[in-house]
């Protein structure tokens, strides 16, 4: 088996692992944030939030489990992207993986806040303490998404450099990365504009999500059809 064939097989495995990781992660994210967190947490009403979390602890625990699965999948995808793009530009691929790993550290800190709520809400915490941890969860996650945006920007650059990856997919990834970076940097540097920033984020939610998702679908379809014999294919 020659070197080119080995590289092709490794790239195909990396492509399929990254694709499946991203697609499964999308499902877990929809459950964790879209279906559970958004329904249980009312940031403007601490008492309602406290009662929701206390009365629906099973759902909240499942949300935490979903976030932990997302965390694991993020790490898997970071390494899969590295192996997929290493033949394009190893240094950029390493930077990309590093930024995604750093993002998972912020996400871990956020998940820890949710775990603290789950452990203490029945006996020790008041509604004020619960909201404090939820605010910290949002802050850690948002700071991490600045780093995540940089990761996507680097991935987009790698995609532009990799022949046969459609340029419109590279452009979608770049736009998603710029959106994540800009929106969450704005949350950080201009908290007085949070309502405006939140409105902008809602409007950009679809293009921010479609950047990685569209690339995941391409990787999956491309990966099962034929091997990546070289960077020109």
């Amino acid at each position: 088996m020659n070197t080119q064939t080995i590289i092709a097989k490794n790239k195909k495995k990396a492509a399929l692992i990254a694709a499946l990781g991203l697609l499964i992660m999308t499902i877990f994210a929809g459950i964790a944030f879209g279906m559970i967190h958004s329904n249980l947490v009312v940031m403007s009403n601490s008492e309602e939030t406290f009662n929701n979390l206390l009365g629906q602890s099973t759902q909240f625990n499942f949300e935490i489990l979903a976030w932990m699965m997302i965390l694991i999948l993020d790490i898997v995808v970071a390494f899969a992207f590295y192996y997929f793009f290493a033949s394009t530009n190893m240094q950029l691929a390493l930077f990309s993986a590093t930024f995604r790993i750093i993002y998972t550290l912020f996400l871990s800190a956020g998940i820890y806040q949710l775990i603290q709520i789950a452990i203490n809400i029945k006996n020790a915490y008041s509604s004020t303490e619960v909201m404090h941890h939820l605010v910290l969860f949002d802050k850690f996650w948002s700071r991490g998404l600045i780093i995540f945006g940089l990761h996507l920007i680097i991935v987009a650059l790698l995609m532009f450099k990799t022949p046969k990856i459609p340029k419109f997919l590279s452009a979608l990834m770049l736009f998603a990365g710029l959106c994540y970076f800009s929106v969450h940097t704005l949350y950080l540097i201009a908290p007085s504009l949070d309502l405006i920033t939140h409105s902008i984020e809602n409007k950009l939610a679809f293009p921010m999500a479609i950047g990685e998702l569209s690339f995941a679908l391409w990787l999956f379809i491309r990966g099962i059809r034929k091997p990546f014999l070289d960077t020109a294919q």
Side-chain angles (χ1 to χ4, degrees):
M1 185 179 296
N2 60 38
T3 303
Q4 186 179 10
T5 304
I6 294 173
I7 292 173
K9 286 190 173 183
N10 288 340
K11 287 193 73 170
K12 181 172 183 175
K13 287 180 182 178
L16 289 173
I17 290 171
L20 289 172
L22 289 169
L23 293 172
I24 295 171
M25 197 188 309
T26 301
I27 295 172
F28 278 118
I31 294 171
F33 190 76
M35 293 177 61
I36 302 178
H37 194 87
S38 297
N39 289 326
L40 296 183
V41 176
V42 184
M43 295 303 290
S44 60
N45 191 324
S46 60
E47 288 298 329
E48 182 179 353
T49 298
F50 182 86
N51 291 329
N52 287 343
L53 296 179
L54 191 61
Q56 302 183 59
S57 58
T58 301
Q59 282 193 47
F60 186 56
N61 289 336
F62 189 77
E63 176 192 341
I64 294 172
L65 178 62
W67 283 117
M68 293 177 70
M69 291 302 301
I70 291 168
L71 177 68
I72 293 168
L73 289 169
D74 265 313
I75 296 171
V76 171
V77 169
F79 283 101
F81 272 179
Y82 169 76
Y83 284 109
F84 181 79
F85 287 115
S87 60
T88 299
N89 186 311
M90 185 172 290
Q91 188 173 19
L92 276 181
L94 182 59
F95 280 139
S96 168
T98 301
F99 277 122
R100 192 161 195 140
I101 295 298
I102 293 172
Y103 158 70
T104 65
L105 297 178
F106 281 89
L107 181 59
S108 298
I111 294 171
Y112 176 75
Q113 306 305 316
L114 301 182
I115 293 172
Q116 287 296 103
I117 295 173
I119 293 172
N120 295 295
I121 190 171
K122 290 185 178 180
N123 300 313
Y125 279 178
S126 65
S127 61
T128 301
E129 289 170 311
V130 167
M131 292 305 293
H132 171 71
H133 283 288
L134 288 171
V135 168
L136 285 177
F137 167 77
D138 282 347
K139 285 185 176 180
F140 279 121
W141 189 27
S142 180
R143 304 304 183 261
L145 287 173
I146 297 173
I147 307 298
F148 182 73
L150 293 174
H151 159 74
L152 293 187
I153 290 170
I154 297 172
V155 170
L157 295 177
L158 287 163
M159 291 169 67
F160 277 117
K161 289 176 176 288
T162 304
K164 292 300 181 180
I165 293 181
K167 298 304 179 188
F168 80 92
L169 291 180
S170 307
L172 284 175
M173 186 71 81
L174 179 60
F175 184 71
L178 290 171
C179 287
Y180 274 110
F181 180 79
S182 301
V183 166
H184 290 280
T185 298
L186 193 57
Y187 276 127
L188 175 62
I189 65 175
S192 61
L193 300 176
D194 275 3
L195 289 177
I196 296 173
T197 306
H198 185 66
S199 177
I200 294 172
E201 184 181 19
N202 286 339
K203 290 179 172 60
L204 294 175
F206 180 75
M208 287 165 73
I210 204 66
E212 268 201 314
L213 186 57
S214 59
F215 184 47
L217 291 171
W218 182 86
L219 282 174
F220 182 76
I221 294 170
R222 179 68 173 75
I224 62 176
R225 284 177 56 193
K226 54 183 177 179
F228 294 87
L229 293 177
D230 52 49
T231 57
Q233 287 199 336

